[in-house]
Each structure stands twice: as C-alpha cells, then as structure tokens.
Amino acid sequence: MPRYLAFLRGINVGGHRVTMDRLTTLFTGLGLRDVATFLASGNVVFSSDADDTVRLRDMIQDGLHDQLGYEVATFLRSPTELVAITQRQPPDTLGRQPADASHYVILLDAPVSKALRAGLAPLQSAMDQFEFAKTEVHWHIQGKLTDSPLFGPGLDRAFGRVPTTTRNMNTLRRIVAKVCPPTDA
C-alpha cells in the first residue's frame, strides 16, 4: 500500500491550534491508514490505496476544512520524492555556506511556473537565493530565517495566490530518517 507524506500549511501557527492526536484522528476519519505525525507543525505520514494524488490531496483538504472550519493547504509527497528533495545540494554558485546558513524548501502543488521564477528573480540577493526544482523552490539564506528581509509577508507577496508551505531542510531530513528508512539494493 503506498505511503504518502502530507505537509499542511497553517497548522499550529496564527491561532490555528490542532493537537497531533486530533490530526491523527482526522486523517484516520478520512479512511487513511497507518497515520503518524511528526513534530507539531502539520507533517503527517499515512498509507492509502489511492493512486490519484490530486484527488487524495483534495479529499484531505476538504476533510480538514469541514472539521477545522478553515482552509488547510495540503502538499503530498511520496517517500521517494521526499528523499530526492533532501538529497539536493546547494549549487556551487552560492559559494561557501556560513555555519548559520539556512536552507528552506517551499512546497508547491504544481511545477514551478515561469511567472513564479520571474517574480522571485528580483528578490535574489547576497542573502537570499532561490533554486528551482520540479514542484519545490529551495530558498538558501546566508544567515538565519529571521535575518532575511523576505521573512514574513515579503515572500508571501511574491508567491501571490500560489499555495505553498515551507519547511526547513533539517526538518525534512529528520522526517526522512524517521519514515523513509534506506532500502538495501
């Protein structure tokens, strides 16, 4: 049975508090199996017979909206996709990374568009660099997240109406270590 990872936007931020036990119950109530949460920020691993990830995502979003009373953008990745995301290395053009450099991954529902690339281009600086993958934007910060002038609404404005959620690369690697054990070839 296929495993999936759901990354939820807006869980336990902005006054939207949901315990991980309740989130597990909500996912189980949607007919999903082997549900487990990771950290208290909307990271859920589960199993489902579904192979149409768009319909599966929409079912989860609709179910969460019905139960929580607000929209919860949901981004699904397979374990294989998540492993590939975490194995991506910063490009050589970023040069030597300082010890306090940060790497965030902005998850999207669809491939990165030309319009989004163009919208982010003027925001690139010595501090903030963007690297584009299929359905992710890797955000490399030469410092801490809170040091970036894009922290907060600045980056949200650049994405406009494109749904996103953001995770620290270290968090994603911790999830991979927990739920995507290496397989022997």
Side-chain angles (χ1 to χ4, degrees):
M1 176 175 312
R3 297 281 285 165
Y4 296 96
L5 295 111
F7 298 96
L8 310 175
R9 181 179 173 108
I11 295 293
N12 293 335
V13 296
H16 294 148
R17 299 285 174 219
V18 181
T19 68
M20 295 303 98
D21 285 342
R22 179 153 188 232
L23 198 54
T24 299
T25 299
L26 293 172
F27 269 67
T28 302
L30 293 170
L32 304 172
R33 291 176 283 229
D34 308 316
V35 178
T37 60
F38 190 79
L39 301 174
S41 57
N43 306 305
V44 183
V45 62
F46 63 94
S47 298
S48 173
D49 289 328
D51 56 1
D52 183 338
T53 56
V54 172
R55 288 184 68 199
L56 181 58
R57 179 204 64 212
D58 290 348
M59 179 198 67
I60 293 168
Q61 287 181 156
D62 292 345
L64 292 174
H65 182 267
D66 290 347
Q67 293 297 311
L68 299 174
Y70 58 90
E71 288 188 37
V72 180
T74 303
F75 304 85
L76 298 182
R77 298 296 187 269
S78 70
T80 301
E81 290 169 325
L82 187 60
V83 167
I85 290 167
T86 61
Q87 290 176 342
R88 191 173 188 104
Q89 297 297 317
D92 291 339
T93 57
L94 292 180
R96 189 174 165 275
Q97 296 287 305
D100 65 345
S102 303
H103 181 174
Y104 285 82
V105 179
I106 303 165
L107 301 167
L108 309 169
D109 278 339
V112 177
S113 69
K114 289 180 184 178
L116 182 57
R117 288 173 191 252
L120 291 174
L123 300 178
Q124 299 228 57
S125 67
M127 175 164 275
D128 296 291
Q129 302 262 325
F130 300 102
E131 177 190 11
F132 304 100
K134 183 178 178 187
T135 56
E136 294 84 34
V137 177
H138 291 257
W139 180 17
H140 303 280
I141 306 167
Q142 299 298 312
K144 298 177 186 130
L145 177 65
T146 54
D147 294 337
S148 170
L150 300 179
F151 176 67
L155 195 58
D156 283 343
R157 278 193 297 275
F159 279 90
R161 300 181 68 81
V162 175
T164 66
T165 194
T166 303
R167 297 295 187 275
N168 184 292
M169 180 60 89
N170 293 332
T171 297
L172 295 178
R173 287 183 176 138
R174 287 175 58 201
I175 294 170
V176 163
K178 183 172 181 171
V179 301
C180 307
T183 58
D184 295 327

